[in-house]
Amino acid sequence: MANLNRRQFLQTLGLASAATAAAAFPGVIKAATGRPQVVVIGGGFAGATVAKYLRYWSNTVDVTLVEPNTTYYSPILSNLVLNNQRNLGQISFSYSTLAQKYGIQVIHDWVDSINAPNQSVQLRNGTTLNYDRLVIAPGIEFMDVPGLDSNKVPHAWKAGAQTTLLQQQLAAMPVGGSFVITIPATPYRCPPGPYERACVVADWLRTNKPGSKVTVLDANPAIVVEPTIFGNAFASYGVEYVPNAVLQSVDSDQRVAKTNLGDFKADVLNVIPPQQAGAIVLQSGLANVGGRWAGVNPLSYESTAVPNIHIIGDSQGTGQPKAGHIANAEAKVCADAILRLLSGSQPYAAPVTNSACYSPISASTASWLTAVYAYDQASGAMKLVPESFGAAAAPSSKNYSRMFDWTTNLFNDTFA
Ligand SMILES: Cc1cc2nc3c(=O)[nH]c(=O)nc-3n(C[C@H](O)[C@H](O)[C@H](O)COP(=O)(O)OP(=O)(O)OC[C@H]3O[C@@H](n4cnc5c(N)ncnc54)[C@H](O)[C@@H]3O)c2cc1C
């Protein structure tokens, strides 16, 4: 069966879903045509982009995207749900465009395991997918914090129900209450994100819960990015900033953060736990950078532990920031490399990626930060290009409005 016909056949039967696909091809879904098969695990900024660009740049590969959720909630802009400047619906995305416009087979399920010697993955519904190339983009997994129950003490570091829970807790917080946020040691997802959240919440509390106090417990010795902007904002909001405060455990019922510097009790406690690569990376023996992140060759994002497997986004361990904009860039480098490898040539030898973060500082102002990374042949690593580094001089309303232009572009480049 020609691939187009196979895809049309799948679409005729409504086979975008795993259940029906498995019914038509019981057991193993494999290439009927001999065309290369690429399976992508995870449909966030990294996984959705690589799936899209593999098909955008080539109609000779079949791409299957496996993602359990039918709706993706962007962590980017999710702090604006906390101060009611955005709702979750405005930062949610479906996978229908990827399926319909780019011919990606989208299966809503978990990948439970990878059989690298057989080049196949096992889905929770029992289906096996064979691959020529596998891309893993599962984001982050939280590390254990003794006593932490995220149903009582939200992290809101993966957007969706957790964002709503934290927003509801803030809305119910007493006037003159206390909000405490904990920041893990680097590396973690979105370096400016926790400081941004502290600012947005402090600004919102000023008018909605006057007399309330915000305390930032930072495991790092100092604010890790944009220290002047965030430091000035903390001073103007009266935020208490505590460096070197390493979280040891949590009393989730009493909302107490227990640190090396003592106990901090809160009316609303927001614990952002330490992070590592997604579980599927760790359980597949791919976390060979400090036992937490996946070592990859930045020319192709192919694992340094297992061939034919590529890891992109927050799970990769190249030293590039764990952020959505650069995950989108890594995905394009990876897609290009996979297409070259599948056609018998070598990955492009001088890839460049770009990171960008806009941080709301209040309900009407924002700052920004950007940097370019380039492949360094001598070390085989991605290196920050020093002269590319840029940051806002001060928060402004112009930055705030440009933030939405930036996110519209990023969201469209990933999901549309
Ligand atoms: C408050 C906040 C603000 C932020 N602001 C910015 C910003 O301004 N700029 C910026 O660049 N970044 C920002 N980020 C960071 C950005 O959101 C993340 O870096 C980005 O989402 C990482 O993309 P990813 O695809 O690696 O992971 P994710 O977006 O987490 O996607 C991973 C996907 O994989 C799926 N998955 C996991 N395991 C499996 C499995 N076994 N099988 C199938 N699917 C699986 C998950 O369901 C998930 O949908 C922010 C983050 C936060 C929390």
Side-chain angles (χ1 to χ4, degrees):
M1 186 187 304
N3 184 66
L4 190 62
N5 290 339
R6 174 174 173 260
R7 214 178 313 125
Q8 285 169 336
F9 171 67
L10 293 172
Q11 283 166 355
T12 309
L13 295 178
L15 292 186
S17 79
T20 43
F25 300 95
V28 176
I29 297 177
K30 62 199 310 184
T33 60
R35 289 161 54 97
Q37 302 293 302
V38 181
V39 173
V40 179
I41 303 175
F45 285 101
T49 305
V50 78
K52 169 180 164 176
Y53 274 87
L54 280 163
R55 292 286 305 163
Y56 188 54
W57 285 334
S58 169
N59 59 7
T60 62
V61 294
D62 291 342
V63 177
T64 303
L65 173 63
V66 187
E67 159 62 52
N69 302 307
T70 53
T71 301
Y72 178 77
Y73 294 103
S74 167
I76 299 175
L77 294 188
S78 66
N79 283 334
L80 293 184
V81 175
L82 305 178
N83 68 350
N84 302 314
Q85 296 302 303
R86 284 289 179 275
N87 60 53
L88 273 183
Q90 292 170 301
I91 54 168
S92 70
F93 303 90
S94 86
Y95 295 94
S96 55
T97 304
L98 294 182
Q100 287 158 18
K101 187 167 163 189
Y102 300 101
I104 296 160
Q105 187 187 5
V106 180
I107 297 178
H108 290 299
D109 201 355
W110 289 93
V111 171
D112 269 345
S113 61
I114 298 167
N115 186 331
N118 282 357
Q119 295 192 201
S120 67
V121 302
Q122 186 77 30
L123 307 193
R124 194 157 290 178
N125 71 9
T127 304
T128 302
L129 300 176
N130 291 334
Y131 64 80
D132 296 292
R133 293 273 165 178
L134 175 66
V135 184
I136 313 182
I140 48 157
E141 193 69 32
F142 296 117
M143 297 169 86
D144 285 342
V145 176
L148 179 61
D149 177 350
S150 60
N151 292 317
K152 295 174 182 168
V153 174
H155 52 77
W157 218 239
K158 295 182 183 180
Q162 279 279 308
T163 316
T164 302
L165 180 60
L166 183 55
Q167 190 250 338
Q168 288 170 342
Q169 290 188 356
L170 286 165
M173 188 172 132
V175 169
S178 61
F179 172 73
V180 175
I181 179 171
T182 73
I183 305 176
T186 59
Y188 60 83
R189 162 176 285 182
C190 191
Y195 308 102
E196 160 190 321
R197 177 172 291 170
C199 290
V200 164
V201 170
D203 173 59
W204 183 81
L205 290 174
R206 276 198 305 183
T207 43
N208 292 279
K209 310 276 176 183
S212 297
K213 183 178 176 192
V214 172
T215 301
V216 177
L217 303 177
D218 194 344
N220 299 288
I223 296 174
V224 300
V225 284
E226 299 178 77
T228 306
I229 292 222
F230 289 122
N232 288 344
F234 287 175
S236 78
Y237 293 141
V239 169
E240 179 189 22
Y241 176 71
V242 186
N244 296 310
V246 181
L247 186 67
Q248 292 171 334
S249 64
V250 173
D251 182 333
S252 293
D253 290 320
Q254 298 301 316
R255 296 177 303 281
V256 179
K258 299 177 181 236
T259 77
N260 57 322
L261 302 179
D263 294 357
F264 294 80
K265 182 163 170 49
D267 291 303
V268 175
L269 178 58
N270 176 201
V271 167
I272 303 171
Q275 295 152 34
Q276 57 192 349
I280 191 74
V281 170
L282 276 95
Q283 78 190 42
S284 307
L286 299 163
N288 55 356
V289 174
R292 280 169 72 184
W293 309 105
V296 296
N297 173 356
L299 293 179
S300 61
Y301 290 86
E302 186 164 4
S303 166
T304 53
V306 180
N308 302 316
I309 295 180
H310 305 248
I311 303 108
I312 53 173
D314 285 357
S315 283
Q316 52 73 33
T318 61
Q320 295 172 102
K322 302 188 182 304
H325 185 109
I326 200 165
N328 168 281
E330 292 162 16
K332 291 176 203 165
V333 173
C334 180
D336 178 68
I338 286 175
L339 293 174
R340 288 172 190 251
L341 288 163
L342 288 173
S343 64
S345 62
Q346 289 302 305
Y348 177 60
V352 171
T353 56
N354 172 225
S355 181
C357 285
Y358 273 86
S359 287
I361 303 294
S362 70
S364 60
T365 61
S367 69
W368 56 265
L369 181 70
T370 188
V372 169
Y373 294 79
Y375 183 71
D376 175 57
Q377 277 195 337
S379 61
M382 297 301 284
K383 290 269 173 74
L384 175 72
V385 179
E387 59 274 22
S388 74
F389 186 82
S396 72
S397 53
K398 191 171 169 187
N399 293 337
Y400 192 82
S401 90
R402 284 187 173 170
M403 174 171 68
F404 298 110
D405 297 339
W406 165 71
T407 50
T408 299
N409 287 337
L410 177 61
F411 294 162
N412 284 341
D413 195 45
T414 303
F415 292 104

